[in-house]
Amino acid sequence: MFQKTYYATHPDMMAGASNEDLRDRYLVSGLFRPGEIILNYSHGERFIIGGAVPADGPLALPVRSEPPSDAGRPLLERREMSVVNIGSSAGTVTVDGQAFELAPREALYIPMNAADVTFAGDGARFYLLSVPAHRALTLHKLALSDVVPMERGSLETANERSIYQLILPHTCASASLCLGMTILKPGSVWNTMPPHVHERRSEIYLYFDLPEDDRVFHYMGEPDALRHIVMANEEVVISPPWSVHMGAGTRAYSFIWAMAGENLDYNDMNVVDICQLS
């Protein structure tokens, strides 16, 4: 049921890795295909990373296919999921008979034990993230207007941005998933400054709102041995716990960040001074 499986990696594996090796191990592309649900599996926090584009009719979240003892059981029986509409039009997500209309940039938190999840809406593009959960919480729709954004950076340093914390304890309860959206202001191109490392969790970035001919240079690796991956619109990058994660684009863009690990503390990070990078 998964297009690709991404395995956990040790930082020593970065040494000697080619650009193609980095793209193969950490870049997730081809998520948004009309009329399909595409799912990928990452061993980092057991993330499922996916996209659903219901072009010609509703799409149903698939049931589990393995192991044999779980075949046919709901995918979210022991998982929670976030859904964010990054498309140009509203779409509908129906969870066990309850329908939610998601306008562009609106999100839905789906708790563990949801059985039937479907996606509908021509023009909607749903970004899906799921991690294992230990308890069922409350189904919750979220809009950017529901939270007070954190305003960070400045135009002078080309990193003026609004950070919307959507799935965090003060906005939406979850078992282990944290998620938000960062929107760069016109003229700003740098994200996640100062850079940092999460020792106790993995992080996933989806870059979007990027014109076809523009790119984001995403930086990763240990602080004293940075590497980069060149990314296009609607591509995802996996950041292991030992890796810096930051990027610079050829113009302003938006990105969705998601984390899971051993706690829900947004501030659990080791900040790296920019002068330490090499």
Side-chain angles (χ1 to χ4, degrees):
M1 65 185 300
F2 299 113
Q3 174 180 258
K4 184 173 178 177
T5 297
Y6 293 81
Y7 294 95
T9 53
H10 189 279
D12 288 352
M13 297 176 67
M14 298 288 283
S18 68
N19 286 355
E20 285 306 310
D21 290 335
L22 296 181
R23 296 177 71 84
D24 181 62
R25 294 171 185 173
Y26 304 108
L27 182 68
V28 185
S29 57
L31 282 181
F32 302 99
R33 300 178 190 167
E36 295 186 58
I37 292 180
I38 304 296
L39 301 176
N40 295 274
Y41 189 89
S42 170
H43 280 243
E45 316 303 343
R46 304 289 170 174
F47 262 103
I48 291 175
I49 306 161
V53 185
D56 299 319
L59 298 171
L61 192 67
V63 297
R64 297 180 64 84
S65 58
E66 54 185 346
S69 59
D70 271 1
R73 303 183 73 86
L75 182 64
L76 302 184
E77 186 174 49
R78 293 184 298 278
R79 286 180 163 272
E80 58 190 353
M81 174 175 276
S82 64
V83 179
V84 185
N85 182 8
I86 64 167
S88 59
S89 302
T92 301
V93 182
T94 303
V95 181
D96 293 335
Q98 190 173 358
F100 296 85
E101 183 177 275
L102 297 188
R105 297 191 177 186
E106 289 188 334
L108 184 68
Y109 169 78
I110 304 175
M112 181 182 81
N113 288 331
D116 298 307
V117 181
T118 59
F119 307 92
D122 189 19
R125 299 167 79 79
F126 297 108
Y127 176 48
L128 317 177
L129 288 163
S130 173
V131 292
H134 61 278
R135 59 175 178 157
L137 292 146
T138 303
L139 188 63
H140 196 151
K141 177 182 172 180
L142 300 129
L144 299 187
S145 59
D146 294 331
V147 301
V148 177
M150 300 167 56
E151 303 295 341
R152 294 292 184 269
S154 67
L155 188 58
E156 288 77 13
T157 51
N159 64 353
E160 187 178 10
R161 62 203 189 276
S162 300
I163 303 172
Y164 295 86
Q165 299 175 321
L166 295 173
I167 301 177
L168 279 164
H170 64 284
T171 53
C172 173
S174 68
S176 64
L177 181 64
C178 302
L179 179 138
M181 185 182 302
T182 299
I183 301 174
L184 274 68
K185 302 294 178 67
S188 287
V189 295
W190 281 98
N191 69 63
T192 318
M193 297 295 289
H196 53 264
V197 172
H198 296 293
E199 286 286 351
R200 284 160 289 277
R201 53 194 177 192
S202 302
E203 186 158 12
I204 310 287
Y205 277 9
L206 164 74
Y207 290 105
F208 71 111
D209 285 343
L210 195 66
E212 183 178 354
D213 293 332
D214 286 282
R215 295 293 184 269
V216 170
F217 291 75
H218 180 85
Y219 293 91
M220 64 171 301
E222 293 183 289
D224 61 351
L226 283 190
R227 302 290 301 273
H228 73 274
I229 298 176
V230 181
M231 298 180 59
N233 188 48
E234 296 184 352
E235 290 190 321
V236 171
V237 64
I238 298 168
S239 177
W242 46 264
S243 177
V244 165
H245 37 284
M246 64 177 184
T250 52
R251 67 172 60 229
Y253 51 89
S254 304
F255 69 101
I256 295 168
W257 45 267
M259 297 178 283
E262 70 174 53
N263 63 54
L264 294 166
D265 181 1
Y266 176 80
N267 293 310
D268 181 9
M269 62 184 74
N270 300 328
V271 175
V272 180
D273 188 287
I274 197 72
C275 298
Q276 294 176 258
L277 302 177
S278 62

